[in-house]
Amino acid sequence: MPYARPPRPLRTLLLVAVVLLPLCGAGWLAWRTAGPGGDRGPGPAPDASPTRDRDRQGGAERVPSPDGGASPEAERPLRGRTIVLDPGHNPSNHRHPEEIARRVDVGTHRKACDTTGTESEAGYPEARFTLDLARRVRDLLERRGARVRLTQDGDRPWGPCIDERAALGNRAGADAAVSLHADGSAPGDRGFHVILPASVREGRADTTAVVGPSRRLGEALAARFGRATGTRPADYTGGGDGLVTRDDLGGLNLTRVPKVFLECGNMRDPRDAALLGDAQWRGRAARGVADGIADFLLTERSQKNRTPGNRP
């Protein structure tokens, strides 16, 4: 039978179908491979957000910090801990000689309520140094979640007396207390040292329960302070490890919480005084104090958790 050519419109339609069907199939396959995001690959689900990542095990969302780290709440290891910082002396004590000369009971004896503290040859007072350092340490510890109290914050005309300084730490139930000072030894004597409470049980004084933890606090503080500041333990007192034990300081005799004194350097030596008067050095010193306190608290908590009968 002779071949009959289809009508022209039908021939045109068949030609279009033959050309377009393969192209459509290839396009559909490419779309399935690339996904809605084009050449970015499969991409996130439509409801995903680039600023959050989902905890797929628990189903909770965690908002990362701007630098990509964990949430700030996870960076507060000292949350729930109480720390008392005691800035030695008071910048205005010299205006109240009668008040600070009053004798108070420190258990083993009676001594002056407080003193004016020492100062450098250039006239930089110890009391100004200790208050500045305490504020710096407080800021660092609060960022780690600690509750920090100062025995005075430049908000008193004088004092407080040494027995009240100890009482403030006791009433706060402090997990650690540090009294900040600078020494007034002879020129040429250099370095820092940490003063630990002796075992005292007399009158109002009873340090038997805090001697051990106070030593551990002092050891952590000495290690971190020396590392942060680049300074060495005192070459004029102690045995070269920066630790000195005394039974004549009311702030230590009357404490019921772990407590030490830190003598950050000798203000009467010109080289030490230059460090103490330098704001950048005080920033490093504050970091050393904060790190030492944090090391002590975290180690104590870890040891307590490992004690039989304590839940981790």
Side-chain angles (χ1 to χ4, degrees):
M1 167 174 200
Y3 171 71
R5 294 171 62 88
R8 181 176 297 274
L10 183 57
R11 279 186 291 153
T12 302
L13 184 59
L14 290 173
L15 180 60
V16 170
V18 169
V19 173
L20 292 182
L21 281 175
L23 293 177
C24 290
W28 179 84
L29 183 61
W31 181 87
R32 288 289 294 174
T33 302
D39 61 2
R40 294 176 297 168
D47 62 347
S49 167
T51 62
R52 296 176 181 265
D53 49 31
R54 186 176 298 275
D55 181 349
R56 299 189 182 279
Q57 293 181 346
E61 288 186 338
R62 178 174 61 85
V63 182
S65 61
D67 62 359
S71 167
E73 287 303 315
E75 303 278 336
R76 296 166 67 82
L78 300 182
R79 185 172 54 182
R81 317 297 274 184
T82 299
I83 299 162
V84 170
L85 299 176
D86 177 27
H89 313 290
N90 183 313
S92 299
N93 271 358
H94 66 280
R95 298 192 183 100
H96 301 270
E98 293 184 5
E99 290 89 344
I100 67 172
R102 179 171 60 87
R103 312 293 281 185
V104 298
D105 179 13
V106 299
T108 56
H109 59 290
R110 297 182 70 84
K111 64 186 303 184
C113 155
D114 202 0
T115 69
T116 59
T118 189
E119 66 179 16
S120 71
E121 287 292 336
Y124 181 47
E126 176 189 2
R128 273 182 51 200
F129 165 78
T130 61
L131 186 55
D132 178 78
L133 181 61
R135 289 167 173 168
R136 292 171 184 264
V137 177
R138 175 180 60 190
D139 291 346
L140 293 173
L141 291 171
E142 286 180 343
R143 290 176 200 166
R144 304 183 196 191
R147 181 171 58 252
V148 183
R149 292 192 59 186
L150 268 59
T151 57
Q152 58 94 10
D153 194 7
D155 51 354
R156 298 178 56 120
W158 56 274
C161 292
I162 53 179
D163 56 343
E164 186 180 351
R165 291 172 185 266
L168 287 169
N170 297 340
R171 288 198 298 266
D175 297 289
V178 176
S179 189
L180 300 169
H181 289 266
D183 207 3
S185 188
D189 292 344
R190 298 200 64 194
F192 70 89
H193 64 281
V194 180
I195 305 175
L196 314 175
S199 182
V200 175
R201 192 171 184 178
E202 183 177 343
R204 297 171 58 199
D206 186 358
T207 62
T208 52
V210 297
V211 166
S214 294
R215 170 167 284 274
R216 293 192 292 273
L217 171 60
E219 290 170 345
L221 195 57
R224 284 291 197 164
F225 186 84
R227 190 182 313 168
T229 61
T231 54
R232 299 179 62 82
D235 56 14
Y236 61 95
T237 186
D241 60 358
L243 302 177
V244 177
T245 300
R246 290 175 58 174
D247 64 1
D248 61 323
L249 298 175
L252 295 182
N253 284 3
L254 300 176
T255 188
R256 298 290 191 273
V257 301
K259 183 176 181 179
V260 299
F261 277 40
L262 172 62
E263 299 280 0
C264 298
N266 178 18
M267 206 151 237
R268 305 302 294 173
D269 176 79
R271 289 176 294 177
D272 269 12
L275 296 176
L276 298 168
D278 182 78
Q280 291 186 343
W281 187 90
R282 291 197 300 275
R284 297 194 295 272
R287 186 173 69 250
V289 175
D291 287 347
I293 294 172
D295 282 357
F296 165 73
L297 293 176
L298 296 175
T299 299
E300 292 291 298
R301 181 165 62 190
S302 176
Q303 290 178 347
K304 182 178 179 180
N305 288 340
R306 289 199 297 268
T307 301
N310 289 322
R311 298 175 62 184

